[in-house]
């Protein structure tokens, strides 16, 4: 039996009927639907709508549905079920007859889908917490292992200044730590329970919303029934946070791809995460990284889809909202799928530290340090900049680095150059010059690493609320 057929005289157009079903994808919400149904059933008994016998029959049947869904894959192949809510009602009726039809008393699918989706998003965030923690820890482990190795930092993709490899990797650590806190923050707004909101105006009987919320591990009930049944902000926020996360992954992938090219040679691609060319026998291609970059587009597309779906909707529930499900599932699956792979990649990729160090010491990347040297001797910063610029020009003409220019030539540019100049240009000195928190001076990088480790460890502390 349909959930709504009473007022209709004609059957649905079969093509339309098939086309409008959400069960092919919302069946993955079944565990949440069953848990929410249990909470509703308990509340109904408490309100005197269900007898204790009704309740135990319904709860037993809900358990049986869960059991069959786990053990019999074909059980979920129901071409008639309109959506996961209809499926459960059909199965209840099949198991316990008319008592099964009592469960829907006072509730609406509008509140159910809002609840199920929130439970899905909450579970996904809890899964992601640990996956992101693994990923960040892989980054931090490589940062620690890099020790005193340096790499050029680029601005405008032009060599800018040398930094510690650890400092470079910590930049990624910060991005993903932000992503983790964004998801944790999003979770607070996700974790409110729409049950009891009814179709739009609230349940049609007095049921205890606090108890239902608590039973499902929510922090409390949502505040307004119109908002609760039409709100998908939690989904939008969640997928927005994921799209930023994949944007970060994409930037990381892009940089790894670039650094693995012979022109840089900083990164040796791990074979288990690369593929060859069917045509060119010499090729080792960065497929994992390229797909990471590509998957970001998919997740960003999901975020755009969700926003576009909701932007023109009048209050409250509209069937358009059914279309918010798949982008949420898609984005969640994509990110949950990609994180263990990038973690594996990070654990196995080889860094060519000799090449990195070499590159970090050539190409005039100590020019700012050279200017700082003049400033220390009382030369105004702008003039020091100008003088070192002239020295760089001379170096470019002669094809040599600053430290190879004879003192006499330097003094012809500015009288404040002296023999101590040469010892201020080494990698160690240049790195140590950036002696501020957040800078690349080794003592600050060491502290930053420790601090990032502590924040990454905190990500794991929360125990997820399990829905089974
Ligand atoms: N399958 C529907 C969805 O995902 C469930 C809610 C249906 N509500 C309704 N009023 N038709 O949105």
């Amino acid at each position: 039996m349909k959930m709504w057929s009473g007022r209709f005289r004609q059957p649905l157009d079969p093509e339309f009927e098939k086309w409008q079903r959400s069960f092919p994808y919302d069946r993955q919400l079944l565990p949440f639907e069953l848990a929410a149904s249990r909470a509703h059933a308990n509340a109904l008994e408490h309100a005197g709508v269900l007898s204790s016998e009704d309740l135990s029959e319904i709860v037993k049947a809900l358990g049986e549905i869960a059991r069959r869904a786990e053990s019999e894959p074909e059980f979920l192949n129901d071409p008639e079920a309109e959506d996961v809510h209809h499926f459960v009602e059909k199965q209840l009726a099949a198991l316990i007859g008319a008592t099964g039809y009592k469960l829907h008393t006072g509730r609406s699918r509008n509140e159910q889908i809002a609840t199920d989706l929130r439970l899905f998003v909450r579970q996904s965030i809890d899964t992601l917490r640990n996956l992101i923690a693994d990923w960040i820890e892989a980054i931090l482990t490589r940062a620690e292992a890099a020790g005193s190795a340096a790499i050029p930092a680029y601005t405008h993709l032009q060599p800018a200044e040398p930094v510690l490899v650890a400092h470079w990797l910590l930049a990624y650590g910060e991005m993903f730590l932000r992503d983790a806190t964004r998801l944790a923050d999003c979770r607070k707004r996700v974790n409110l329970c729409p049950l009891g909101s009814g179709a739009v105006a609230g349940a049609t009987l007095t049921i205890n919303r606090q108890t239902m919320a608590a039973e499902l591990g929510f922090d409390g009930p949502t505040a307004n029934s119109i908002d609760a049944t039409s709100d998908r902000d939690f989904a939008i926020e969640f997928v927005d946070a994921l799209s930023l996360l994949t944007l970060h992954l994409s930037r990381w992938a892009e940089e790894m791809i670039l650094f693995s090219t012979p022109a840089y040679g900083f990164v040796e691609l791990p074979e288990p995460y690369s593929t060859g060319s069917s045509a060119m026998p010499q090729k080792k291609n960065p497929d994992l990284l390229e797909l990471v970059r590509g998957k970001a587009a998919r997740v960003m597309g999901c975020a755009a889809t969700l926003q576009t779906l909701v932007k023109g909707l009048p209050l409250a529930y509209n069937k358009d909202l059914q279309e918010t499900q798949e982008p949420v599932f898609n984005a969640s699956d994509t990110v949950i799928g990609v994180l263990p792979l990038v973690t594996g990649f990070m654990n196995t990729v080889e860094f060519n530290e000799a090449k990195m160090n070499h590159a970090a010491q050539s190409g005039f990347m100590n020019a700012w340090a050279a200017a700082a040297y003049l400033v220390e001797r009382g030369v105004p910063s702008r003039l020091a900049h100008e003088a070192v610029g002239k020295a760089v020009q001379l170096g470019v003409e002669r094809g040599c680095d600053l430290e190879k220019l004879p003192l006499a030539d330097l003094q012809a540019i500015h009288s404040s150059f002296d023999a101590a100049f040469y010892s201020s240009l080494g990698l160690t000195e240049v790195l140590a010059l950036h002696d501020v928190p957040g800078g690349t001076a080794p003592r600050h990088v060491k502290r930053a690493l420790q601090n990032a480790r502590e924040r990454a460890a905190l990500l794991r502390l929360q125990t997820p609320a399990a829905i089974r």
Side-chain angles (χ1 to χ4, degrees), residues 122-162:
R122 183 178 80 190
Q123 178 171 290
S124 177
I125 290 176
D126 292 342
T127 304
L128 284 162
R129 267 181 95 99
N130 285 338
L131 294 178
I132 297 173
D134 292 343
W135 164 232
I136 294 175
E137 278 170 5
I139 296 173
L140 299 182
T141 300
R142 295 310 299 258
E144 264 155 20
S148 61
I151 185 171
Y154 300 83
T155 63
H156 313 267
L157 208 50
Q158 303 292 334
E161 295 187 272

Side-chain angles (χ1 to χ4, degrees), residues 12-25:
L12 282 188
D13 172 85
E15 283 303 311
F16 170 59
E17 164 140 47
K18 202 167 146 222
W19 175 82
Q20 53 98 44
R21 294 171 65 235
S22 54
F23 190 58
Y25 47 87

Side-chain angles (χ1 to χ4, degrees), residues 61 87 103 117 119 164 204 228 267 297-298 320 338 356 375 428 441:
F87 176 77
L103 176 62
L117 264 183
L119 290 170
L164 285 179
T204 53
V267 165
R298 173 198 291 249
D320 315 40
V338 87
M356 288 174 164
V375 167
T428 313

